[in-house]
Structures are given as structure tokens and as C-alpha cells.
Amino acid sequence: MERILFQMDNYLIKTLAYNKQARILFVENTDLIRAVCNHDHMNKLLKTSLGKTVSVASMLTGILKGTQRTD
């Protein structure tokens, strides 16, 4: 089996607004979504659902504190 290694440029930026009352998240995970949904036999609805699920999971992981990620 051949391994294909490639660089993904995915990132998440967190900031606070309105006197630290609101969190704002900027997520760039296009490369991750393309890698996950890169199947020819997958229909469009499944690709959309999987892409949204991975994006939401990325945001949820981004707002967790350090110890919450490992517990």
C-alpha cells in the first residue's frame, strides 16, 4: 500500500467580542473536508452532511479548554 503525504492548511481563529460576552470562530478547513469527502461513489447529500459534521466538530474542539480535550 502506498502512502500519500500532503500538507493541509487548516486553521481555527478564536476571538472575543462585545466586552468578552461573545465568542467568534473563524474556521478554514477546506483541505480537511476535501480529504474526507474525496470518494467518487459518495452522493452529494452525504458529502454535504459529512462536511457540515466535520466543520461543527472542528469548532466544538476549538472552544474546549486544554484539559477538556483529553478527558
Side-chain angles (χ1 to χ4, degrees):
M1 179 159 61
E2 180 181 336
R3 280 190 163 178
I4 300 172
L5 300 175
F6 53 93
Q7 172 97 16
M8 284 195 222
D9 294 321
N10 302 298
Y11 56 88
L12 182 133
I13 299 171
K14 299 185 292 184
T15 188
L16 296 173
Y18 298 107
N19 200 19
K20 298 184 180 180
Q21 297 295 314
R23 291 182 186 163
I24 300 174
L25 301 173
F26 298 97
V27 179
E28 170 54 55
N29 62 353
T30 304
D31 292 339
L32 176 63
I33 300 300
R34 284 186 181 145
V36 170
C37 296
N38 190 18
H39 298 285
D40 293 335
H41 60 277
M42 192 180 296
N43 69 26
K44 187 175 180 177
L45 178 61
L46 181 57
K47 285 184 182 183
T48 302
S49 299
L50 183 59
K52 288 182 179 188
T53 302
V54 170
S55 294
V56 169
S58 299
M59 288 187 283
L60 285 174
T61 303
I63 61 173
L64 294 175
K65 305 275 187 211
T67 57
Q68 292 174 327
R69 291 183 193 154
T70 59
D71 289 343

